[in-house]
Amino acid sequence: MLVPLVRALVAAAVLAAVCGTGAACATVCGTGHRTAGQTGTGDGTGHAAAGPTRPEAAGPTRHDAAGPTGRGGAPDDEPFFVAPGSHAARQATTWRAAGRTADAHLMDRIAARPQAEWLTGPHPEAAVRDRTTAAARHRRTAVLVAYYIPQRDCGAHSAGGAPSAAAYRAWIDAFAAGLGDRDAYVVVEPDAVPHTVAGCAQVVPAERYALLAYAVDRLGRQSGTRVYLDAGNPGWIPDPARLVGPLRSSGVTRADGVALNVSNFHTDRTTSSYGKRLSGRLGGTRLVIDTSRNGNGPHLGPGTDLWCNPPGRALGRPPTRRTGDPLIDAYLWIKRPGESDGTCRGGPAAGRWWPSYALDLAANAHD
């Protein structure tokens, strides 16, 4: 359980942070597997988690490997912004008021951690500006996910995205405008490259890769932004060599690195091993890893929907830049723990808050 001091700091952040009037202050859930509104959250897609059933070297990154700094100017290993008013924070408050103190303590394990903000709807600029401005006010770094590629999720649970290539480029321009020069980590388009490699009939690979390259280059022009292109997870494209050409075509050599295990459950060890194999083929591309729900690793039970609200999972390593591995820039909570993967195993629609599932993740955590 979190100590009272941490709970007090969370409460202080809720009072001190000003959310603004933009859509970053609200979660608008749609019908997609992730959310289809203005902002949303990530979740494991069936394709991303199915596993076996389911030109030049990269060179140095654009940014100094030391990353963001703290108030004293020294490298800050815990620089990420904890947004106030999250589902978990509100749930903890509700349960305390109802006398469910032990459950509220467990929910603090989620509420006190920085989590990504997903941008999934047509007008991202205000939401991005709100989140990065709030983070900057606290000398922190926002973590954002750009998730609006045309034919998103290959027409499956998270179907949607921009209606055209031109609309997507304009969306990326607006996203970049919202960033300004404030610090942010941006994960670019979870699933987009692996879906294409796996064979998405709805997209023309060269066109998709060109759009991803545009996103990498445009977002990377913002001075405070670190860009990580999504590269799936070890269970989806088991041979990372298959990703090398598509990632290069998608601008990975001009990004700060790749994001792995987004919305998935593979362990840190499995994911980092996979990432190093991939990185070796990309001239040393750096990594960030989603550890939000991988504390117990992937579900090994029967069924084909092992990605969707699997039982017995646990929160993973809290977000940090203190990775102990020079190739891994950060462990992040890109997926928001406690938000449903979809209407399976009794869950609500994808992206919706599910208190009992969140409580299980927190109760099973090893910290």
Side-chain angles (χ1 to χ4, degrees):
M1 297 183 186
L2 294 177
V3 297
L5 175 59
V6 175
R7 296 200 302 273
L9 290 173
V10 173
V14 172
L15 292 174
V18 178
C19 193
T21 58
C25 301
T27 298
V28 183
C29 292
T31 58
H33 189 60
R34 291 186 172 92
T35 54
Q38 171 65 23
T39 61
T41 60
D43 57 78
T45 65
H47 306 280
T53 63
R54 277 188 62 166
E56 65 280 3
T61 58
R62 297 181 301 105
H63 297 92
D64 189 317
T69 59
R71 287 180 175 80
D76 187 345
D77 291 326
E78 318 295 343
F80 305 113
F81 179 56
V82 179
S86 67
H87 287 302
R90 294 196 300 269
Q91 192 70 65
T93 298
T94 297
W95 281 347
R96 279 196 180 87
R100 294 178 60 177
T101 305
D103 289 344
H105 288 342
L106 287 172
M107 196 56 55
D108 285 339
R109 290 182 170 182
I110 298 175
R113 310 294 195 202
Q115 301 164 49
E117 179 80 0
W118 289 64
L119 287 302
T120 66
H123 304 293
E125 184 172 350
V128 172
R129 182 178 295 111
D130 285 348
R131 177 54 65 96
T132 55
T133 299
R137 204 173 280 130
H138 292 274
R139 304 288 297 274
R140 301 286 87 183
T141 298
V143 180
L144 306 170
V145 180
Y147 192 58
Y148 198 59
I149 196 81
Q151 299 297 332
R152 186 175 62 199
D153 200 27
C154 199
H157 296 281
S158 292
S164 67
Y168 184 70
R169 287 190 291 269
W171 187 87
I172 288 293
D173 291 343
F175 195 117
L179 289 167
D181 61 359
R182 293 173 292 278
D183 286 346
Y185 280 36
V186 179
V187 175
V188 173
E189 299 298 341
D191 302 347
V193 170
H195 258 310
T196 309
V197 171
C200 176
Q202 289 95 317
V203 303
V204 176
E207 294 177 359
R208 169 161 283 190
Y209 301 151
L211 287 180
L212 292 169
Y214 182 86
V216 167
D217 291 339
R218 180 65 188 87
L219 297 173
R221 283 162 47 189
Q222 305 308 120
S223 61
T225 300
R226 299 175 67 90
V227 179
Y228 295 89
L229 180 61
D230 183 74
N233 65 76
W236 193 356
I237 308 292
D239 180 4
R242 296 178 60 198
L243 293 167
V244 172
L247 287 170
R248 288 188 183 278
S249 297
S250 300
V252 73
T253 60
R254 300 183 299 280
D256 290 284
V258 298
L260 295 171
N261 202 45
V262 173
S263 302
N264 220 283
F265 303 88
H266 295 284
T267 64
D268 296 349
R269 176 178 294 182
T270 297
T271 305
S272 62
S273 176
Y274 181 83
K276 289 174 182 179
R277 291 164 58 203
L278 176 62
S279 176
R281 293 176 175 272
L282 289 170
T285 292
R286 303 178 68 80
L287 317 172
V288 294
I289 295 175
D290 187 352
T291 60
S292 57
R293 304 184 298 175
N294 72 348
N296 282 342
H299 181 52
L300 302 178
T304 58
D305 58 348
L306 303 182
W307 57 273
C308 191
N309 301 323
R313 300 310 90 200
L315 300 175
R317 186 192 306 250
T320 182
R321 284 183 51 85
R322 190 181 293 113
T323 67
D325 190 314
L327 194 64
I328 303 174
D329 283 346
Y331 296 115
L332 302 173
W333 282 10
I334 300 173
K335 163 70 178 182
R336 291 183 180 178
E339 295 184 353
S340 177
D341 293 324
T343 53
C344 56
R345 295 188 170 92
R352 300 284 183 178
W353 176 245
W354 190 4
S356 62
Y357 196 78
L359 186 62
D360 284 345
L361 289 171
N364 294 336
H366 301 293
D367 64 343

